[in-house]
Amino acid sequence: MDLEKRPERQQDPEGCLAVAIRIPVRIVVLVLVMPVRMVWDALVVTGRFLRDTVLRPVGRALLWAGRAVFVWPFVALWRYAVVPLAKGLAWLANVLVVVPLVWFYRYVLTPLGHAVAWVGRGIGAALAWVYARVLTPVGHACAWVLRGIGAVLAAVGTGAYVAVAWLARYLLVVPAVWLYEWILAPVGRAIAWCARGLVWLVSTAATGIGVALYWTARVLLVLPVIGVYRWILTPVGRVLAVVGGEIWNALGHAWRIAGRISLAVGRFLATLFRWIFVEPVRWVYRTILTPVGHVVRDVVLRPVAEAARTVGRATRQALATTRESVRQARADFRRMLSGAPRQPEPAARREPTGRETRTLGSSTTALTKD
């Protein structure tokens, strides 16, 4: 048992407008939603009935037909045509391609490769001897000559570079530095000071114009919009929010109430249908048709069935007798035409025909019998 008292749920305070429009709105919404809910429930019942009685069997039939038309032929084609054909082609490719290629590789390419490798090793040894005994000394001599020529050219180039650098320093660099320090730098500073002043003037003028335009737009546009939003749109929005919330809640309540009413109406109609159609049919079947059927079964059907069975047995016996008579007549006719069949002669038997009493001086064997 919970000894502590649970805090009650805090509910949002409701205004007088919500309380005033709640009941009328719910009544109107219930009147509007009720037909929709009943139609919806009728459609749901109809859809379930169609799903269970029509769509599901049709779907199963279509599924079976699809399997029979699309799946099973391809499975049979794959199993009894493609797979044996592929196995045959694989065997044929093995016999016609793989085995000849293996033989060609083993008995032609391998010996040829060994021969080419032996020749290549001989040529490589010859080239190595030429490189070591001929090309290396010649290369060393050429390198010594080229190093001497390079040293001479480097000395000449160094002297020429020093001379050209001295001339360029005193003919180009020194005059250019003097021109930059005493002419270009002062002129550039003056131009930069003038540009900064012009930029300050333009920015000041633009700032003043921007402030004036800002306050003009604020007074003419922003403040009226804020006033309209604050004093007109906000109250109207709150009223519409309250009305919309009540309408939404009313729709929910109306939908649930309409569902209960629709359920009650459906049960009433089902009961009415049961008492108008089902119960009379059941009563007629139970009290009239069943006794009549029993009487018909006992008085008519069973005697008729027994008579039919008797007739069937008599017919079968008559047919059997007729077949036996026909068979006997055929045998008599055959005997009349070809005579009686010869009886087989009994063969001489070495064994005694009957069992005799055995005595001390007699024997039961035919070979030793006196």
Side-chain angles (χ1 to χ4, degrees):
M1 182 177 180
D2 192 2
L3 299 179
E4 296 182 359
K5 186 177 181 181
R6 296 182 180 179
E8 296 181 357
R9 184 179 177 182
Q10 298 292 333
Q11 296 183 355
D12 296 333
E14 297 179 350
C16 59
L17 180 62
V19 176
I21 67 173
R22 179 173 298 166
I23 301 301
V25 167
R26 290 189 177 183
I27 294 173
V28 173
V29 171
L30 178 61
V31 172
L32 295 176
V33 170
M34 186 65 196
V36 178
R37 182 58 189 263
M38 295 189 69
V39 172
W40 174 260
D41 292 339
L43 291 176
V44 169
V45 173
T46 305
R48 290 177 181 175
F49 177 76
L50 292 177
R51 181 195 64 186
D52 296 335
T53 58
V54 178
L55 297 180
R56 187 172 293 172
V58 170
R60 291 175 180 174
L62 291 177
L63 180 61
W64 184 86
R67 288 179 180 176
V69 173
F70 296 103
V71 178
W72 295 341
F74 288 105
V75 170
L77 180 64
W78 172 264
R79 183 176 297 172
Y80 300 107
V82 176
V83 173
L85 181 61
K87 290 182 179 179
L89 291 177
W91 179 83
L92 188 63
N94 184 30
V95 172
L96 297 180
V97 178
V98 177
V99 173
L101 288 178
V102 170
W103 182 88
F104 183 73
Y105 172 78
R106 183 177 296 171
Y107 297 104
V108 177
L109 295 181
T110 300
L112 183 61
H114 291 170
V116 171
W118 182 79
V119 173
R121 283 196 297 271
I123 295 173
L127 292 177
W129 183 86
V130 170
Y131 174 78
R133 303 297 180 182
V134 178
L135 296 180
T136 300
V138 173
H140 290 171
C142 292
W144 183 80
V145 173
L146 291 176
R147 279 198 298 270
I149 295 172
V152 173
L153 293 177
V156 174
T158 302
Y161 173 75
V162 171
V164 171
W166 185 83
L167 291 175
R169 176 180 177 81
Y170 288 99
L171 293 179
L172 296 176
V173 177
V174 173
V177 170
W178 182 85
L179 179 64
Y180 173 77
E181 291 180 354
W182 300 101
I183 296 175
L184 297 179
V187 172
R189 292 189 185 97
I191 293 173
W193 183 81
C194 294
R196 283 196 296 271
L198 182 61
V199 169
W200 177 82
L201 180 62
V202 172
S203 62
T204 303
T207 302
I209 294 172
V211 170
L213 292 176
Y214 168 75
W215 282 104
T216 302
R218 181 179 177 84
V219 172
L220 295 179
L221 298 177
V222 177
L223 294 179
V225 170
I226 292 174
V228 170
Y229 174 77
R230 183 176 297 173
W231 302 106
I232 297 176
L233 296 180
T234 301
V236 172
R238 290 175 181 174
V239 172
L240 292 178
V242 172
V243 174
E246 290 298 327
I247 292 174
W248 181 259
N249 295 330
L251 283 174
H253 288 288
W255 186 261
R256 290 190 292 272
I257 295 172
R260 295 181 181 275
I261 296 174
S262 176
L263 180 61
V265 171
R267 289 179 178 176
F268 172 74
L269 293 177
T271 305
L272 187 63
F273 177 79
R274 177 183 176 184
W275 286 106
I276 292 177
F277 295 100
V278 177
E279 290 297 332
V281 171
R282 181 185 297 177
W283 181 84
V284 169
Y285 175 78
R286 182 179 298 173
T287 58
I288 298 176
L289 296 181
T290 301
V292 171
H294 291 172
V295 171
V296 171
R297 180 192 63 187
D298 297 335
V299 175
V300 178
L301 296 180
R302 283 182 179 176
V304 169
E306 187 65 27
R309 284 194 291 270
T310 304
V311 171
R313 285 194 295 269
T315 303
R316 286 194 296 272
Q317 291 177 1
L319 290 176
T321 304
T322 303
R323 284 196 297 270
E324 186 64 27
S325 300
V326 170
R327 189 180 299 111
Q328 189 66 31
R330 289 172 58 188
D332 294 339
F333 183 74
R334 189 183 305 111
R335 191 180 301 110
M336 182 181 64
L337 292 179
S338 59
R342 297 177 60 185
Q343 298 293 333
E345 296 180 357
R349 301 179 62 185
R350 300 178 64 182
E351 289 80 5
T353 57
R355 185 177 181 85
E356 299 178 357
T357 304
R358 185 175 181 180
T359 60
L360 294 176
S362 63
S363 176
T364 58
T365 304
L367 297 177
T368 59
K369 187 175 181 181
D370 295 337

